[in-house]
Amino acid sequence: MQFITQFNFKVQFNYKAPLLALAISVGALSGCSSASVEPEHIDIKDPGPKTKTFSTSFLNTWKACLIVLGKYPLKSYDEESGVIETDFIRGEDVWVAPHRKKYIQGGFKYKLNLRVIKGKQGAKPVTKVIVLKQPELQKDFFADSEKIQTDGLEELSLLYRIERELALEEALAKVKRTN
């Protein structure tokens, strides 16, 4: 039997493997922490009704508003006065911002008012749309509803959807003219 009395090992340290493991663990930890962050409160910088002016005719804007509000329960709409009003929206029909959880308080309700105003800028027709959201919260059965402030996200979303509907209508009209 032979005994090994001398060790002749050459020690080589590979720096690539620990750096790779460190990069993967940092990436995994930062990915997990950023995924769990959900902003529940957005500061209201500009409370009140949201407005946008469109460079199109009143009739096109009116149609786009009615298309966008198609899923909402409409209470009244009058083309001559340019007013669209929804009935109270509550429960599962309430619009929830994408960054919020889907929990709605029982006494929460709101209605939307849209005002479409026609005008001219030089010789071209322009239309101004004003969106007002009126949220209310009733804490219990005997208490009156108290008005609360909106964050303005649904109003901005509606104005964006109206703008996209008008852009789509304009593109379709352009295609019809070329044919």
Side-chain angles (χ1 to χ4, degrees), residues 26-45:
V26 167
L29 290 175
S30 67
C32 293
S33 66
S34 66
S36 64
V37 174
E38 293 182 21
E40 281 296 315
H41 179 73
I42 292 181
D43 292 330
I44 302 166
K45 295 183 175 137

Side-chain angles (χ1 to χ4, degrees), residues 12 23 34 49 51 56 96 98-99 101 108 114 134 159 174 176:
Q12 291 182 346
S34 66
T51 64
T56 185
V96 180
H99 67 279
K101 295 176 183 168
F108 179 74
L114 267 76
Q134 299 170 324
L159 288 172
K174 188 176 181 181
K176 284 181 183 177

Side-chain angles (χ1 to χ4, degrees), residues 5 23 46 69 76 81 100 108 113 118 121 129 136 158 178:
T5 56
D46 185 20
L69 291 175
S76 67
S81 64
R100 295 225 173 117
F108 179 74
N113 290 324
K118 60 179 147 183
Q121 187 174 29
V129 178
E136 297 178 3
L158 288 170
T178 59

Side-chain angles (χ1 to χ4, degrees), residues 29-101:
L29 290 175
S30 67
C32 293
S33 66
S34 66
S36 64
V37 174
E38 293 182 21
E40 281 296 315
H41 179 73
I42 292 181
D43 292 330
I44 302 166
K45 295 183 175 137
D46 185 20
K50 304 296 180 210
T51 64
K52 187 156 183 114
T53 304
F54 302 103
S55 300
T56 185
S57 69
F58 174 81
L59 188 59
N60 287 344
T61 308
W62 181 259
K63 287 179 185 177
C65 290
L66 288 177
I67 289 171
V68 166
L69 291 175
K71 292 185 178 181
Y72 291 88
L74 295 182
K75 183 177 181 181
S76 67
Y77 53 96
D78 184 15
E79 187 176 345
E80 284 191 29
S81 64
V83 175
I84 304 172
E85 184 179 347
T86 67
D87 202 5
F88 276 108
I89 303 160
R90 55 185 90 197
E92 289 295 316
D93 297 330
V94 169
W95 186 83
V96 180
H99 67 279
R100 295 225 173 117
K101 295 176 183 168

